[in-house]
Amino acid sequence: MAASAARSAAFGITLRIEQDGAYADELLHSSHLARLNTRDRAFATELVMGCLRRRGELDYLISSRLHKPLRTVDPEVLVALRLGAYQLRYMGGVAAHAAVFESVELVKLARKRSASGLVNAVLRRLPPSPPLDEAARICHPAWLVSRWEAALGKDVCSALLRANLKRPEAYFRIAAPAATEDPLRRLRKAGIRTEATDVPRAYHLLSGSPSQALAVAGTPLVFQDINSQRVGLLLDARPDSTVLDVCAAPGGKSRLLAESGTVVASDRHFHRLRILRSLGSRRIRMVALDAERPLPFSGRFDRVLVDAPCSGTGTLARNPEIKWRLRPDDITELRERQTRILGNALEAVAPGGVLVYATCSLEPEENQHVVEEAIRASPGWKARKAVSTIPGRDAGDGFQAWRLRRPAS
């Protein structure tokens, strides 16, 4: 008997993430799950994301029952063990015998039949899970935990580590007036509960899933993290403003800015610009350019957004694979890139104009250090921190954003 379609899909996706450096969000929204029904897609998504969030804890449980180092285990076998261990510990609706049996079937599917007995024995003898705070610590690289404790304090760090193990809360924006019935009323009629936030036209989804809400209310709903929305609104763009989004893909903030007027959205990668095209907004004009080089525009813009490429340490609940790939040297390299991008973007701002610099990173090197260096090199500019959120302490993802204003003359 072969493994179920949902588990097979989760196995293939997780293996690609581990071996090829692929990203979970891209694979989970690609054709990999297209053949599955709604229930199986949800099961596979929970399995993939849960294993990534709790990989350190799962490896701890598995290692306690192995007689050899974890690094010597074949990737296919290790992924099957993690998937099985996660089902046994965190998916209460899954029967234990099914989790074990299907994990064994997965290693057979991967032509690792000789490991069947190992997988069966390990999963049937897993120890109890450690306490939550201990589990949260081992689910993050030690260097990152030490860095956060020093910068944020132990209490905030502990809350952050716990928050990174949870599924992120869902927020949506009503992007345009509904053509027919009020979308919030349609959600209420379907039994889907929401609550307003302090961001105009932004709501917290309290029940149901984003896919269910979209099926009920349709296109007026755009799902986007609440703090990502805050960052886009900091520009305070007007219908007559000239607006540039320097690192635009995948386009969530460009789409928000396009509600007020036309946006020039740029990115260095053509395949990421294709994602922008799929948004279908006629107010977004796409330009391929490398923002680490001087920008090629002859005129200047009233409003410029730099949502800089970053480590993403504020989004580890949403993008958990990042924490297993990130290295301390990466933060230094990112800061150098961010400094070049911000310096070039400042030159594109018209006198009296506004630039918003933002990252979804919690690291000071990628935030205030970059802004401080830019201000030192650009006399007369004024800067203030406008957004600073940390998961576990604040709602939504972790963001920092700075609002910089160019002198009028």
Side-chain angles (χ1 to χ4, degrees):
M1 180 178 176
S4 70
R7 289 182 176 88
S8 296
F11 179 75
I13 289 172
T14 308
L15 199 58
R16 278 203 58 192
I17 292 167
E18 293 293 326
Q19 293 186 309
D20 302 338
Y23 287 92
D25 185 65
E26 293 180 3
L27 295 182
L28 289 169
H29 290 88
S30 69
S31 59
H32 287 76
L33 299 186
R35 70 182 187 278
L36 302 182
N37 60 37
T38 301
R39 182 178 177 181
D40 283 350
R41 280 199 299 272
F43 184 95
T45 298
E46 169 64 18
L47 197 46
V48 170
M49 298 303 288
C51 282
L52 290 172
R53 291 184 188 117
R54 291 188 175 266
R55 196 184 89 175
E57 177 190 355
L58 300 176
D59 287 355
Y60 166 82
L61 298 175
I62 293 164
S63 295
S64 71
R65 295 297 182 257
L66 285 175
H67 301 295
K68 58 181 178 178
L70 201 67
R71 66 178 181 276
T72 65
V73 179
D74 289 340
E76 297 88 349
V77 177
L78 184 54
V79 166
L81 283 167
R82 287 171 178 163
L83 294 174
Y86 184 78
Q87 292 171 72
L88 290 168
R89 286 291 172 268
Y90 293 104
M91 297 184 76
V94 176
H97 68 85
V100 175
F101 173 79
E102 296 228 12
S103 298
V104 171
E105 292 300 307
L106 289 174
V107 296
K108 293 178 181 177
L109 179 69
R111 300 180 181 180
K112 300 290 180 180
R113 185 176 291 272
S114 61
S116 299
L118 171 70
V119 171
N120 183 73
V122 168
L123 293 180
R124 289 188 183 280
R125 297 168 48 244
L126 285 180
S129 295
L132 176 58
D133 281 340
E134 182 183 343
R137 288 183 72 88
I138 63 177
C139 285
H140 295 78
W143 70 269
L144 199 52
V145 176
S146 297
R147 161 185 276 267
W148 286 343
E149 282 186 338
L152 306 173
K154 288 191 175 182
D155 289 345
V156 174
C157 177
S158 294
L160 168 61
L161 298 179
R162 292 193 297 269
N164 286 343
L165 300 187
K166 300 177 182 178
R167 182 187 305 172
E169 297 290 325
Y171 295 88
F172 66 87
R173 180 174 182 80
I174 300 179
T180 55
E181 190 176 1
D182 173 15
L184 293 178
R185 183 181 174 190
R186 295 171 70 177
L187 293 174
R188 286 194 298 270
K189 287 172 64 176
I192 297 175
R193 296 184 298 113
T194 66
E195 68 176 0
T197 70
D198 61 328
V199 176
R201 291 190 284 131
Y203 297 84
H204 182 193
L205 186 68
L206 298 176
S207 67
S209 67
S211 59
Q212 291 170 330
L214 286 169
V216 170
T219 54
L221 268 57
V222 176
F223 277 85
Q224 184 177 7
D225 177 73
I226 189 64
N227 297 320
S228 178
Q229 296 185 51
R230 292 184 206 281
V231 167
L233 294 173
L234 284 177
L235 279 180
D236 192 25
R238 310 293 183 181
D240 60 345
S241 300
T242 54
V243 180
L244 170 65
D245 187 351
V246 174
C247 305
K253 297 179 185 66
S254 289
R255 176 163 49 188
L256 186 152
L257 293 169
E259 294 175 18
S260 300
T262 300
V263 180
V264 175
S266 66
D267 200 272
R268 67 189 297 182
H269 298 294
F270 284 102
H271 73 276
R272 288 172 65 83
L273 285 173
R274 284 198 293 271
I275 300 174
L276 277 167
R277 185 178 295 115
S278 70
L279 298 179
S281 175
R282 296 181 181 179
R283 291 180 169 179
I284 300 177
R285 299 176 181 174
M286 291 167 288
V287 178
L289 58 82
D290 183 354
E292 292 186 55
R293 300 183 177 187
L295 303 186
F297 303 107
S298 56
R300 289 176 170 172
F301 296 82
D302 302 318
R303 301 288 186 269
V304 175
L305 174 63
V306 179
D307 184 19
C310 69
S311 62
T313 54
T315 67
L316 296 186
R318 193 178 305 280
N319 304 295
E321 63 271 30
I322 289 175
K323 62 186 173 185
W324 306 118
R325 298 174 183 171
L326 192 66
R327 298 292 178 266
D329 288 348
D330 295 337
I331 294 173
T332 301
E333 294 175 6
L334 283 163
R335 177 189 173 178
E336 293 170 355
R337 288 187 64 197
Q338 292 154 351
T339 299
R340 289 192 292 271
I341 291 171
L342 180 54
N344 291 329
L346 289 175
E347 295 299 319
V349 181
V354 171
L355 180 147
V356 169
Y357 173 82
T359 76
C360 54
S361 167
L362 305 178
E363 315 316 312
E365 294 91 335
E366 300 181 76
N367 293 295
Q368 58 261 43
H369 293 186
V370 172
V371 173
E372 288 166 0
E373 185 170 344
I375 292 298
R376 283 196 299 270
S378 305
W381 282 78
K382 302 295 183 184
R384 67 175 178 87
K385 185 186 291 186
V387 170
S388 181
T389 59
I390 301 173
R393 187 193 71 181
D394 307 298
D397 290 345
F399 270 90
Q400 284 208 19
W402 296 70
R403 201 169 191 268
L404 291 75
R405 182 176 290 276
R406 185 170 196 155
S409 59

